[in-house]
Amino acid sequence: MTSTKPILYGAPYSVYVRAVRLAFAEKGIDYDLVPVDIFAQEGVPPEHLKRHPFGRIPAFQHGDIALYESSAILQYVDEVFDGPALQPDAPADRAHMSQVISVLNNYVYKTLVWGLFVPGVQLPNIGFDADRDKINAVLPQAKTCVAALNDLVTDRGWLGTPALSLADLLAAPMLSLFMVTPQSKSMMLDNVALHAWWKQICERPSLQATRPEFDPPLPERPC
Ligand SMILES: N[C@@H](CCC(=O)N[C@@H](CS)C(=O)NCC(=O)O)C(=O)O
C-alpha cells in the first residue's frame, strides 16, 4: 500500500508505455502520464535523458524511486501497489512468464512492430510507400514469433502462466499493432491458441481504456 501518486513519462502510442498503463489499469491504480516527445526535431529532451540515458520511453518515478526499462517498472508496479497480483507464485510459472517477456523484448517487438507494422502500416498511414523489401525480409521471423507465442499459450489461455500476468500485458500492445497488418490474418489462422488469447485479452476494460489514437487514424481494430 502506498499513497504517493506514481508518474509515468512517455506517450500513449508506445507499446511499452501502454504495457505499464495496462498494469495500472488492471490493478486499479491512479497515476500521472507526463508526455515526452522522444522524436522531437531537436532530439530527446535533455530532462528526459536524465531519466532514461538511452532516450526511450517509458521512464517512471514513484517518490524517491526512479526506474527505466519496462520489465523492471512492471515488476515494481505489481509488487508495490494494491490490486490483483500480475505475477504467478510458482517458480515454473514465474520462469515461463519471464521467458515470454524475454521473447517479446528480444524478437517480437523488433519483428512484428518494427519489421511489419511500421514499414507496412504506420509509414504508409502518414504518406510514405510501404517498404516491401523490408516486410518480405522479416516474414520468416514474423512467422516464427507468432508460432512461438502460440506454443506458449497455456491451457488456461494466457501466455506462459495459468492466469493473466505481466507477460500478457506486454504482449497485448505489440499484438495490437501487429493485428492491423495484412500479414496477421493468415498467420493467426494457423495459430488458433494465440488468436483465442487475442480475442480474450482484447475484451478487457484495461485494453479499451488504453487504446491509443493515431493521427491519421489506423485501420479499424478491436483494441
Ligand atoms: N527496453 C525498453 C524499450 C523501450 C522502447 O523501445 N520504447 C520505444 C517506444 S515503444 C522507444 O522509446 N523508441 C524510441 C527509439 O527507438 O528511439 C523498455 O523495456 O522500456
Short mmCIF file of all heavy atoms in Angstrom, two decimals, residues 43-67:
data_model
loop_
_atom_site.label_atom_id
_atom_site.label_comp_id
_atom_site.label_asym_id
_atom_site.label_seq_id
_atom_site.Cartn_x
_atom_site.Cartn_y
_atom_site.Cartn_z
N GLY A 43 15.60 16.59 -30.91
CA GLY A 43 16.12 15.40 -30.25
C GLY A 43 15.41 15.14 -28.93
O GLY A 43 14.50 15.87 -28.54
N VAL A 44 15.84 14.09 -28.27
CA VAL A 44 15.22 13.72 -26.99
C VAL A 44 15.43 14.86 -25.99
O VAL A 44 16.56 15.35 -25.84
CB VAL A 44 15.85 12.41 -26.45
CG1 VAL A 44 15.25 12.04 -25.11
CG2 VAL A 44 15.69 11.28 -27.46
N PRO A 45 14.37 15.32 -25.32
CA PRO A 45 14.53 16.43 -24.36
C PRO A 45 15.59 16.09 -23.30
O PRO A 45 15.60 14.98 -22.77
CB PRO A 45 13.14 16.55 -23.73
CG PRO A 45 12.20 15.89 -24.69
CD PRO A 45 13.00 14.84 -25.40
N PRO A 46 16.50 17.05 -23.02
CA PRO A 46 17.59 16.77 -22.06
C PRO A 46 17.08 16.29 -20.70
O PRO A 46 17.70 15.42 -20.08
CB PRO A 46 18.30 18.13 -21.91
CG PRO A 46 17.83 18.95 -23.06
CD PRO A 46 16.56 18.40 -23.59
N GLU A 47 15.93 16.84 -20.24
CA GLU A 47 15.44 16.38 -18.93
C GLU A 47 15.02 14.91 -18.97
O GLU A 47 15.12 14.19 -17.98
CB GLU A 47 14.29 17.27 -18.40
CG GLU A 47 12.98 17.19 -19.14
CD GLU A 47 12.89 18.14 -20.35
OE1 GLU A 47 13.95 18.63 -20.82
OE2 GLU A 47 11.76 18.37 -20.82
N HIS A 48 14.62 14.45 -20.18
CA HIS A 48 14.25 13.02 -20.27
C HIS A 48 15.49 12.14 -20.27
O HIS A 48 15.46 11.02 -19.73
CB HIS A 48 13.37 12.75 -21.50
CG HIS A 48 12.84 11.35 -21.50
ND1 HIS A 48 11.94 10.90 -20.55
CD2 HIS A 48 13.10 10.27 -22.30
CE1 HIS A 48 11.66 9.62 -20.76
NE2 HIS A 48 12.36 9.21 -21.81
N LEU A 49 16.57 12.63 -20.87
CA LEU A 49 17.81 11.83 -20.87
C LEU A 49 18.35 11.63 -19.45
O LEU A 49 19.07 10.67 -19.19
CB LEU A 49 18.87 12.51 -21.75
CG LEU A 49 18.63 12.34 -23.26
CD1 LEU A 49 19.59 13.22 -24.05
CD2 LEU A 49 18.78 10.87 -23.67
N LYS A 50 17.97 12.53 -18.55
CA LYS A 50 18.37 12.33 -17.14
C LYS A 50 17.57 11.17 -16.54
O LYS A 50 18.05 10.46 -15.67
CB LYS A 50 18.13 13.60 -16.33
CG LYS A 50 19.11 14.70 -16.68
CD LYS A 50 18.93 15.88 -15.74
CE LYS A 50 19.63 17.10 -16.31
NZ LYS A 50 18.91 18.35 -16.06
N ARG A 51 16.33 10.99 -17.04
CA ARG A 51 15.50 9.88 -16.52
C ARG A 51 15.85 8.57 -17.21
O ARG A 51 15.73 7.50 -16.64
CB ARG A 51 14.01 10.13 -16.82
CG ARG A 51 13.42 11.32 -16.18
CD ARG A 51 11.95 11.46 -16.65
NE ARG A 51 11.54 12.82 -16.48
CZ ARG A 51 11.13 13.61 -17.48
NH1 ARG A 51 11.04 13.17 -18.72
NH2 ARG A 51 10.81 14.86 -17.22
N HIS A 52 16.23 8.69 -18.50
CA HIS A 52 16.47 7.49 -19.32
C HIS A 52 17.67 7.75 -20.23
O HIS A 52 17.55 8.40 -21.26
CB HIS A 52 15.22 7.20 -20.16
CG HIS A 52 15.19 5.81 -20.74
ND1 HIS A 52 16.27 5.21 -21.34
CD2 HIS A 52 14.18 4.89 -20.78
CE1 HIS A 52 15.93 4.00 -21.74
NE2 HIS A 52 14.67 3.77 -21.40
N PRO A 53 18.87 7.26 -19.86
CA PRO A 53 20.08 7.59 -20.62
C PRO A 53 20.04 7.15 -22.07
O PRO A 53 20.79 7.66 -22.91
CB PRO A 53 21.19 6.86 -19.87
CG PRO A 53 20.52 5.88 -18.99
CD PRO A 53 19.14 6.38 -18.72
N PHE A 54 19.15 6.20 -22.40
CA PHE A 54 19.05 5.73 -23.79
C PHE A 54 17.94 6.46 -24.55
O PHE A 54 17.68 6.15 -25.73
CB PHE A 54 18.82 4.21 -23.82
CG PHE A 54 19.94 3.46 -23.14
CD1 PHE A 54 19.81 3.05 -21.81
CD2 PHE A 54 21.14 3.22 -23.79
CE1 PHE A 54 20.86 2.40 -21.17
CE2 PHE A 54 22.18 2.56 -23.16
CZ PHE A 54 22.05 2.15 -21.85
N GLY A 55 17.27 7.39 -23.88
CA GLY A 55 16.31 8.26 -24.56
C GLY A 55 15.04 7.57 -24.99
O GLY A 55 14.36 8.02 -25.91
N ARG A 56 14.69 6.46 -24.35
CA ARG A 56 13.47 5.73 -24.72
C ARG A 56 12.35 6.05 -23.74
O ARG A 56 12.56 6.66 -22.69
CB ARG A 56 13.75 4.22 -24.69
CG ARG A 56 14.89 3.79 -25.61
CD ARG A 56 14.36 3.31 -26.91
NE ARG A 56 15.41 2.97 -27.84
CZ ARG A 56 15.48 1.80 -28.45
NH1 ARG A 56 14.60 0.85 -28.20
NH2 ARG A 56 16.43 1.57 -29.33
N ILE A 57 11.18 5.57 -24.07
CA ILE A 57 10.05 5.65 -23.15
C ILE A 57 9.53 4.23 -22.91
O ILE A 57 9.64 3.39 -23.83
CB ILE A 57 8.91 6.56 -23.70
CG1 ILE A 57 8.55 6.20 -25.15
CG2 ILE A 57 9.28 8.02 -23.56
CD1 ILE A 57 7.38 6.98 -25.73
N PRO A 58 9.01 3.95 -21.69
CA PRO A 58 8.73 4.88 -20.60
C PRO A 58 9.90 5.06 -19.63
O PRO A 58 10.85 4.28 -19.61
CB PRO A 58 7.58 4.17 -19.86
CG PRO A 58 7.92 2.71 -20.00
CD PRO A 58 8.54 2.57 -21.37
N ALA A 59 9.73 6.13 -18.78
CA ALA A 59 10.50 6.25 -17.55
C ALA A 59 9.46 6.40 -16.44
O ALA A 59 8.29 6.72 -16.71
CB ALA A 59 11.42 7.45 -17.61
N PHE A 60 9.89 6.19 -15.23
CA PHE A 60 8.93 6.06 -14.13
C PHE A 60 9.50 6.68 -12.86
O PHE A 60 10.69 6.58 -12.60
CB PHE A 60 8.66 4.56 -13.92
CG PHE A 60 7.83 4.21 -12.73
CD1 PHE A 60 6.45 4.23 -12.81
CD2 PHE A 60 8.42 3.82 -11.53
CE1 PHE A 60 5.66 3.87 -11.72
CE2 PHE A 60 7.65 3.46 -10.44
CZ PHE A 60 6.27 3.49 -10.54
N GLN A 61 8.62 7.33 -12.09
CA GLN A 61 9.04 7.90 -10.80
C GLN A 61 7.95 7.62 -9.78
O GLN A 61 6.77 7.83 -10.04
CB GLN A 61 9.22 9.42 -10.96
CG GLN A 61 9.77 10.13 -9.73
CD GLN A 61 11.30 10.04 -9.61
OE1 GLN A 61 11.98 10.17 -10.62
NE2 GLN A 61 11.80 9.81 -8.41
N HIS A 62 8.37 7.14 -8.62
CA HIS A 62 7.41 6.95 -7.52
C HIS A 62 8.12 7.35 -6.25
O HIS A 62 8.97 6.60 -5.73
CB HIS A 62 6.96 5.48 -7.46
CG HIS A 62 6.01 5.21 -6.35
ND1 HIS A 62 6.17 4.19 -5.45
CD2 HIS A 62 4.87 5.87 -6.00
CE1 HIS A 62 5.17 4.22 -4.58
NE2 HIS A 62 4.38 5.22 -4.90
N GLY A 63 7.81 8.56 -5.76
CA GLY A 63 8.56 9.08 -4.62
C GLY A 63 10.04 9.14 -4.99
O GLY A 63 10.41 9.74 -6.00
N ASP A 64 10.87 8.49 -4.18
CA ASP A 64 12.33 8.51 -4.43
C ASP A 64 12.76 7.47 -5.46
O ASP A 64 13.94 7.41 -5.82
CB ASP A 64 13.08 8.15 -3.13
CG ASP A 64 12.89 9.22 -2.09
OD1 ASP A 64 12.50 10.35 -2.48
OD2 ASP A 64 13.12 8.92 -0.90
N ILE A 65 11.85 6.62 -5.86
CA ILE A 65 12.23 5.52 -6.76
C ILE A 65 12.08 5.93 -8.22
O ILE A 65 10.98 6.26 -8.67
CB ILE A 65 11.34 4.27 -6.52
CG1 ILE A 65 11.35 3.87 -5.05
CG2 ILE A 65 11.78 3.11 -7.42
CD1 ILE A 65 12.69 3.47 -4.50
N ALA A 66 13.20 5.96 -8.94
CA ALA A 66 13.18 6.27 -10.37
C ALA A 66 13.61 5.01 -11.13
O ALA A 66 14.58 4.35 -10.74
CB ALA A 66 14.14 7.42 -10.67
N LEU A 67 12.86 4.69 -12.19
CA LEU A 67 13.18 3.49 -12.96
C LEU A 67 13.05 3.75 -14.44
O LEU A 67 12.22 4.57 -14.86
CB LEU A 67 12.20 2.36 -12.61
CG LEU A 67 12.32 1.67 -11.26
CD1 LEU A 67 11.10 0.78 -11.02
CD2 LEU A 67 13.59 0.83 -11.19
#
